Amino acid sequence: MQLNSAFQDPHLCRALLQRLETALNGRSMRFMEVCGTHTVAIFQSGLRSLLPASVTHLSGPGCPVCVTHDAEVAAFLDLAGRDKVIVATFGDLLRVPGPDGRSLKHAQAQGARVEIVYSALDALALARNNPGDLVVFLGIGFETTAPTVAATLLTARQKKIENFCVLSLHKLVPPALRALLDDASCAVEAFLLPGHVSTVLGLAPYAFLADEYHMPGVVGGFEPADILLALCIMAEQLRDRAPAVINAYPRAVSDTGNARARALMEQFFTPSDALWRGLGRIPRSGLALRPEYADLDALIRLDLRLPETRPLPGCRCGQVLKGQLRPPQCPLFGKKCTPATPVGPCMVSTEGSCAAYFKYGEH
């Protein structure tokens, strides 16, 4: 508690705001955070109202629920309609609308066996307690989540729990950043890199930001002073024309990341093409189960396909995730689309930028 309070100290934050003003010296800066926890932290702490007017904050594709593609939601609903299948999912996914507006919540109300779990291990326990059914865990999330799912798969194999499998829709952050930068409409000048993901990855996977795109990238923590320090470093790099990838969160992130977590992830998963809401299909940006674990792969075990789908009518989540649109600029925001009646996933998830704007921002 004392550690966190030090990074919320108003005197320290004021000093960092002054340092930021000095580094900017009247120049503008457009930065994007690529972590849902950063999204909430920036709004909840009130930092947006304290930042210089010349600083533009954009939310990126860092919310696992938000980047889940319409085709993936359609696959969830397919699973939920199958006999003797129990779908195990994190709570936020339950309310994500599918291509026809239906969600897992609707399927559950109509009798589908959909269970909320808080971890992949909870889903494995569900399989152990329901030996006559196949439990399918919906594996979403980034590099932070994938090692925990890999550990669960290892446990399932070791304990010979055969009525359990995973629909692996995990996504990798660095390829998404490359896809953003390859888009001619991208106006981002610096990235606030995700603290949680970086505990696993370290810095090396982000090196291309500075080396190829001359883009500052700073790994930041989640307290107000953490975020302000990261912004100061970004602004100073832009001022000095010296882009680099920097770890500004050393109390939690090692420059080399977590080798054991990566090894466990690589034991079970291999990079694959993946669908992202707003970004489309990005090569080698997902994680598929390796062929030797086909019995644990829901795609193979249930002959599951991701169908062709149309975008949700009127939903602008894709543009929000690319930093092309602020949530209040969506015509549905706060009207047809609210946390109680979400049209798109950015309003569903607690880490979504639309939900953050609605709760803390411009509503």
Side-chain angles (χ1 to χ4, degrees):
M1 190 68 178
Q2 290 179 346
L3 179 63
N4 286 342
S5 64
F7 289 89
Q8 297 172 357
D9 179 74
H11 299 287
L12 176 58
C13 290
R14 277 196 289 270
L16 287 167
L17 279 166
Q18 181 59 53
R19 176 178 166 182
L20 178 60
E21 291 269 18
T22 301
L24 290 169
N25 193 24
R27 291 184 295 271
S28 64
M29 181 174 76
R30 296 171 65 88
F31 81 95
M32 174 180 280
E33 40 79 5
V34 283
C35 175
T37 309
H38 273 141
T39 303
V40 175
I42 289 169
F43 277 93
Q44 195 173 44
S45 64
L47 277 183
R48 278 178 58 89
S49 63
L50 298 176
L51 293 176
S54 60
V55 174
T56 301
H57 162 225
L58 304 170
S59 292
C63 159
V65 171
C66 303
V67 299
T68 301
H69 195 272
D70 294 313
E72 296 172 335
V73 181
F76 302 161
L77 293 168
D78 179 352
L79 282 173
R82 300 196 182 198
D83 291 334
K84 301 189 75 62
V85 168
I86 300 175
V87 175
T89 178
F90 297 132
D92 278 358
L93 272 185
L94 206 66
R95 298 176 61 238
V96 175
D100 59 356
R102 290 183 70 245
S103 66
L104 285 173
K105 186 72 174 175
H106 291 111
Q108 187 184 51
Q110 294 166 359
R113 301 178 70 186
V114 181
E115 299 286 343
I116 295 176
V117 295
Y118 297 97
S119 71
L121 282 172
D122 287 346
L124 191 60
L126 191 64
R128 189 184 297 112
N129 294 332
N130 292 271
D133 301 299
L134 178 64
V135 172
V136 181
F137 176 67
L138 304 184
I140 70 161
F142 302 117
E143 291 90 341
T144 315
T145 308
T148 66
V149 176
T152 303
L153 291 168
L154 179 62
T155 302
R157 180 58 62 85
Q158 290 173 339
K159 295 191 175 182
K160 299 182 180 179
I161 301 174
E162 298 179 354
N163 64 321
F164 174 78
C165 60
V166 170
L167 176 56
S168 179
L169 300 172
H170 299 96
K171 293 176 171 61
L172 305 175
V173 169
L177 303 187
R178 185 181 288 276
L180 279 170
L181 293 173
D182 285 339
D183 188 325
S185 67
C186 179
V188 177
E189 294 177 295
F191 283 111
L192 174 59
L193 297 172
H196 295 144
V197 166
S198 301
T199 61
V200 175
L201 291 184
L203 299 187
Y206 305 117
F208 72 93
L209 294 174
D211 294 345
E212 299 177 35
Y213 294 90
H214 311 293
M215 176 79 59
V218 183
V219 176
F222 303 98
E223 301 294 343
D226 288 322
I227 296 168
L228 286 171
L229 174 60
L231 296 184
C232 288
I233 295 171
M234 290 176 198
E236 289 162 358
Q237 289 186 26
L238 290 169
R239 177 197 63 196
D240 299 338
R241 298 182 181 179
V245 174
I246 300 293
N247 179 12
Y249 192 30
R251 69 180 187 277
V253 175
S254 162
D255 288 1
T256 56
N258 187 326
R260 291 182 65 185
R262 291 197 303 273
L264 184 59
M265 185 167 62
E266 291 163 8
Q267 177 183 342
F268 283 88
F269 297 111
T270 185
S272 63
D273 296 353
L275 291 170
W276 294 64
R277 188 178 299 273
L279 297 173
R281 186 176 297 276
I282 304 176
R284 296 178 63 81
S285 67
L287 290 175
L289 277 160
R290 292 186 178 276
E292 56 266 39
Y293 301 108
D295 59 308
L296 295 166
D297 189 341
L299 285 172
I300 295 172
R301 190 158 172 176
L302 293 169
D303 192 25
L304 192 63
R305 298 288 181 269
L306 300 185
E308 292 290 331
T309 55
R310 294 181 179 179
L312 295 167
C315 178
R316 303 287 185 88
C317 281
Q319 291 172 275
V320 170
L321 293 167
K322 294 173 72 173
Q324 296 176 340
L325 191 78
R326 291 185 305 107
Q329 294 174 307
C330 173
L332 303 183
F333 177 82
K335 302 178 182 69
K336 185 177 179 180
C337 186
T338 69
T341 58
V343 174
C346 294
M347 188 64 87
V348 172
S349 175
T350 55
E351 294 186 350
S353 53
C354 292
Y357 266 90
F358 188 93
K359 186 173 182 179
Y360 302 109
E362 302 168 30
H363 172 54

